[in-house]
Amino acid sequence: MSVNDTSKSTFAITTPLYYVNDVPHIGSAYTTIAADVVARFERLRGKSVLLITGTDEHGQKIQRTAETNGLATQAHCDKIADTFNTLWQKLNIKSDRFIRTTDSRHQAIVKEFFQRVWEKGDIYLGQQKGWYCVACEEFKEERDLLEGHRCPLHPNKEAEWRDEQNYFFRLSKYQGQLEELYQKQPDFIQPESRRNEVLNFVSQGLQDFSISRVNLDWGFPVPVDTSHTIYVWFDALVGYITALLDPDMEPTLENALSKWWPINMHLIGKDILRFHTVYWPAMLMSAGLPLPGRVFGHGFLTKDGRKISKTLGNTVDPVDLVNRYSADAIRYYFLKEIEFGQDGDFNETRFINTLNADLANDLGNLLNRTLNMFKKYCNNEVPNCSGEDIPADNQLKAIGSVLGDKVTQAYESLAFSQASEAIFTLIRACNKFIDEQAPWKLYKQGQQQAVEQVLYAVLESVRLAAYLLSPIIPNISNDIYQQLGFSIDFNNKSLTDVTEPFVTHSAWGTLTPRQKLGEAKPVFARLEQPQAVSS
């Protein structure tokens, strides 16, 4: 069994800092669930993990939205930030830091970072002319716009023409260094399709980009010229550094960078790819700071094959979804049914069918009937049997013995669907194995040892499956482990009740002889398809 690289005992992962123009949508939930799964997996491996999420709260779009809603801008930000925190709790997301860019400590870090880049000579005053998408908070190149100067990401909004004095960052200066980065570290941008997209963009030649706005007071003033406000992206990206501060630390770059930097992984949607793979590394190069390990840009979600849009009236409310179906149901479907990195679709019929087939039938029923047979044939305890007593050619042992390594590789690659499918290959093999071995017949024939070995092999495989699924469905995994007589809590960030948890529990054959088992209880209730509303 391979174990984690002990040369680096910490692991830091970030989601985007979500824009507070509106309440969180299903795409925000998707990214954050994935980040939580990675964080949970790394904690299982014994690493000290920091999962960072938060909200980006500056910019013209926020100010306009607050005015439209009749709220003070800060009050609007407070209200929306709370909805993100609430949703993460509902989805059983265990974030370690929730950074808000309106935090006064963040202003101190932004000011110091800006000063470093300024002293490097990489910021200058110039004239900005071009089409500006307020929704993206970004100037758009003419070649990227749709007909009527509409933003491809917000086609119902026309970009605004701007001609104003701005401070610029010398992005063009770092073209060669960025190209060298992409060549020397091909896995810096993942998946491959995102990497190719960035390479194509950079090859066309990089332009310096604006990092300030005038006539906007919602944001931090430029330290060298208070008539300008720092542009939202330059401010927001530095939030990843601010988030590294312990609560009692003085807000300085030195303190923020002392333990967790560089970030191991930025997890983002593909719509903000350029900011994180071009602008951000160039800014860090200018500030003389090490670069993050990798940036992974996942795809977009659709509903019933159509783009999710308020205009189309087909939005997916993640709060409503989790209230109706549970956190584990949402987490499992979106990571198992969609290849992470590619675009994916939500269809409620397929959603329910998948959950019933995998969690209620294959996994839930398997655990239930196996525990009932233990109660009937083995006095409700693990018999005097261990993994070593099961022959090497036992099909469940053969699958289970290599499953930990296979799933580890999948989690490391963020191939959550492959991890789930590999685990359920073992679960489905268990159901087939029980039917073929028919322990009830063996019991009637007086073959007690054969009964015990069959049931041990099945229950141990269920245990292993639950353990390896715990980053994705922690509550169901907890229920299974409790019914097996373990006290481990997969929602405990430190997992201090288990010694070397990953090495021990990812190996096939962990159940111990005479281990007392709990009562069989359903771990996932079968779902019914929603009734069609008659007109």
Side-chain angles (χ1 to χ4, degrees):
M1 171 57 59
S2 63
V3 296
N4 56 301
D5 178 11
T6 55
S7 65
K8 186 169 176 58
S9 61
T10 60
F11 185 90
I13 180 171
T14 75
T15 73
L17 304 188
Y18 298 108
Y19 215 39
V20 294
N21 60 302
D22 205 349
V23 296
H25 52 74
I26 194 65
S28 306
Y30 181 51
T31 314
T32 314
I33 289 169
D36 183 66
V37 170
V38 174
R40 286 174 179 271
F41 170 68
E42 294 295 342
R43 290 190 189 106
L44 286 184
R45 303 172 91 185
K47 291 192 178 184
S48 180
V49 175
L50 196 74
L51 169 55
I52 295 168
T53 186
T55 45
D56 176 4
E57 302 181 9
H58 286 144
Q60 189 172 62
K61 183 178 180 180
I62 303 305
Q63 193 170 31
R64 288 183 180 181
T65 302
E67 290 170 354
T68 300
N69 294 332
L71 292 173
T73 312
Q74 187 63 62
H76 166 81
C77 293
D78 294 343
K79 178 181 177 182
I80 300 299
D82 283 346
T83 66
F84 279 91
N85 260 321
T86 299
L87 179 58
W88 301 163
Q89 291 171 23
K90 283 181 173 289
L91 288 168
N92 200 10
I93 290 165
K94 303 292 184 182
S95 64
D96 299 283
R97 301 281 165 81
F98 190 94
I99 176 65
R100 298 180 58 183
T101 59
T102 50
D103 186 340
S104 60
R105 302 203 321 155
H106 177 56
Q107 183 172 5
I109 298 297
V110 170
K111 183 178 181 180
E112 189 176 351
F113 187 93
F114 183 98
Q115 198 66 35
R116 279 199 183 196
V117 179
W118 173 264
E119 291 172 0
K120 190 74 172 286
D122 289 341
I123 296 174
Y124 65 91
L125 189 62
Q127 196 72 18
Q128 175 72 66
K129 292 182 180 181
W131 295 100
Y132 186 75
C133 175
V134 176
C136 289
E137 295 285 9
E138 179 187 16
F139 279 97
K140 298 289 183 178
E141 295 189 30
E142 188 89 32
R143 67 191 181 195
D144 294 332
L145 293 171
L146 304 176
E147 185 178 353
H149 299 109
R150 296 185 180 275
C151 171
L153 297 177
H154 304 93
N156 60 330
K157 298 180 184 295
E158 186 174 338
E160 301 177 3
W161 177 258
R162 299 284 177 88
D163 184 355
E164 61 187 33
Q165 202 174 53
N166 288 171
Y167 283 92
F168 285 77
F169 173 73
R170 298 186 191 276
L171 180 65
S172 58
K173 173 181 174 181
Y174 291 93
Q175 170 123 13
Q177 287 178 247
L178 287 170
E179 290 174 332
E180 183 180 5
L181 166 68
Y182 306 145
Q183 181 180 6
K184 288 186 174 180
Q185 298 182 39
D187 59 348
F188 176 73
I189 305 170
Q190 295 178 331
E192 187 69 19
S193 58
R194 304 284 104 80
R195 169 179 155 79
N196 292 336
E197 180 183 332
V198 172
L199 292 177
N200 179 61
F201 172 74
V202 173
S203 69
Q204 298 177 51
L206 293 177
Q207 305 295 318
D208 298 347
F209 69 90
S210 167
I211 63 168
S212 77
R213 297 289 179 267
V214 291
N215 303 317
L216 173 67
D217 57 6
W218 187 244
F220 299 143
V222 171
V224 297
D225 185 348
T226 56
S227 67
H228 286 250
T229 298
I230 294 178
Y231 167 52
V232 62
W233 278 102
F234 193 91
D235 163 359
L237 288 165
V238 179
Y240 295 133
I241 296 177
T242 307
L244 303 177
L245 287 166
D246 287 338
D248 58 348
M249 278 183 173
E250 182 185 355
T252 66
L253 273 178
E254 182 180 3
N255 286 340
L257 301 168
S258 61
K259 178 178 179 181
W260 297 98
W261 193 264
I263 299 291
N264 296 81
M265 182 187 300
H266 289 306
L267 201 56
I268 61 169
K270 64 181 181 180
D271 54 325
I272 53 176
L273 187 67
R274 292 179 188 176
F275 295 103
H276 288 78
T277 60
V278 181
Y279 298 1
W280 181 225
M283 288 163 56
L284 292 169
M285 289 172 181
S286 176
L289 300 180
L291 303 186
R294 57 175 166 156
V295 180
F296 194 105
H298 66 72
F300 288 155
L301 297 178
T302 57
K303 182 183 180 186
D304 302 325
R306 304 171 72 195
K307 180 182 178 182
I308 296 175
S309 164
K310 287 184 178 180
T311 305
L312 296 175
N314 69 338
T315 57
V316 179
D317 180 0
V319 175
D320 173 66
L321 210 58
V322 73
N323 285 342
R324 287 193 288 138
Y325 294 118
S326 82
D328 276 10
I330 311 308
R331 295 167 66 102
Y332 180 76
Y333 175 82
F334 280 100
L335 295 187
K336 188 262 183 181
E337 282 298 292
I338 299 170
E339 182 181 348
F340 199 68
Q342 305 301 312
D343 292 346
D345 188 64
F346 173 76
N347 174 276
E348 195 159 6
T349 298
R350 185 167 69 249
F351 170 83
I352 290 174
N353 289 340
T354 297
L355 295 170
N356 284 340
D358 292 0
L359 301 185
N361 295 346
D362 287 348
L363 178 58
N365 287 347
L366 173 63
L367 173 68
N368 192 275
R369 68 172 175 160
T370 305
L371 283 177
N372 282 329
M373 283 189 281
F374 266 99
K375 184 175 183 179
K376 187 173 183 179
Y377 306 139
C378 304
N379 196 30
N380 208 38
E381 67 180 17
V382 177
N384 191 22
C385 179
S386 69
E388 295 178 355
D389 298 320
I390 308 300
D393 60 355
N394 178 286
Q395 58 184 290
L396 301 186
K397 185 174 184 178
I399 297 172
S401 296
V402 297
L403 186 61
D405 282 328
K406 184 179 294 187
V407 171
T408 293
Q409 292 171 11
Y411 276 133
E412 288 176 339
S413 303
L414 276 63
F416 307 117
S417 182
Q418 291 180 24
S420 300
E421 188 56 40
I423 295 166
F424 271 84
T425 296
L426 177 59
I427 292 169
R428 286 188 284 269
C430 286
N431 280 304
K432 183 180 179 182
F433 184 74
I434 288 181
D435 292 339
E436 291 174 346
Q437 298 298 316
W440 49 90
K441 291 183 180 179
L442 296 173
Y443 182 75
K444 288 180 179 179
Q445 296 167 1
Q447 299 185 52
Q448 183 63 24
Q449 184 178 12
V451 170
E452 292 174 354
Q453 290 193 354
V454 168
L455 294 182
Y456 181 94
V458 172
L459 199 63
E460 171 57 18
S461 297
V462 174
R463 182 211 60 77
L464 176 61
Y467 184 80
L468 295 175
L469 282 169
S470 66
I472 299 175
I473 48 172
N475 289 331
I476 290 175
S477 295
N478 268 346
D479 286 347
I480 292 174
Y481 254 61
Q482 288 171 11
Q483 291 181 46
L484 299 185
F486 291 98
S487 60
I488 184 173
D489 178 4
F490 292 110
N491 288 318
N492 178 347
K493 288 184 183 180
S494 63
L495 293 175
T496 53
D497 54 341
V498 177
T499 303
E500 295 185 289
F502 192 78
V503 175
T504 303
H505 284 251
S506 61
W508 196 92
T510 296
L511 285 172
T512 57
R514 303 307 179 193
Q515 182 171 332
K516 198 69 178 175
L517 302 175
E519 289 294 319
K521 298 176 184 177
V523 295
F524 189 84
R526 185 175 177 80
L527 303 173
E528 298 297 329
Q529 292 287 353
Q531 296 295 315
V533 179
S534 58
S535 56

